[in-house]
Amino acid sequence: AQTVRADFGVVLAFRHVGDARGQAATVALETLRGAVRQALIGWAPAGFTPFEYLRGALVGVTDGTVWWEMDFRTEFEARNA
C-alpha cells in the first residue's frame, strides 16, 4: 500500500445582480466561504483522512461575478487491485 496525498480545489462563483464591479458579491461570498470551510474541514469520506484547509485565493471578477478558489488536502491508502 502507498499513502497518497491529494490536494483539491473548490471554486466558488457568486454574482450579485446590479453589481458590475463585484463589491456586493464579495461581502456575500465571505458568508459562503465560511459555510464551505465549516462543512469540509475535518470531514472525511470513508477511506480518507479528514480534509485540511490549505488556502484560498481570488481567481477573478468577471461581469460582477466573483470567483474564489479554496484548496484542501486529504490522504488515502492506494492498494494494488
Side-chain angles (χ1 to χ4, degrees):
Q2 176 182 346
T3 300
V4 177
R5 178 183 291 167
D7 293 351
F8 65 95
V10 175
V11 177
L12 307 175
F14 196 90
R15 183 165 192 250
H16 192 281
V17 177
D19 180 27
R21 294 179 59 200
Q23 291 172 317
T26 301
V27 173
L29 184 61
E30 181 59 35
T31 301
L32 181 59
R33 288 174 21 203
V36 171
R37 279 191 305 267
Q38 184 175 0
L40 292 182
I41 293 174
W43 180 76
F48 290 79
T49 62
F51 292 166
E52 300 174 27
Y53 179 70
L54 299 176
R55 68 191 146 270
L58 178 66
V59 176
V61 179
T62 308
D63 297 326
T65 301
V66 178
W67 299 85
W68 186 270
E69 181 173 349
M70 302 174 75
D71 296 326
F72 295 86
R73 173 173 289 156
T74 188
E75 294 182 353
F76 64 94
E77 291 294 316
R79 303 185 188 284
N80 290 337

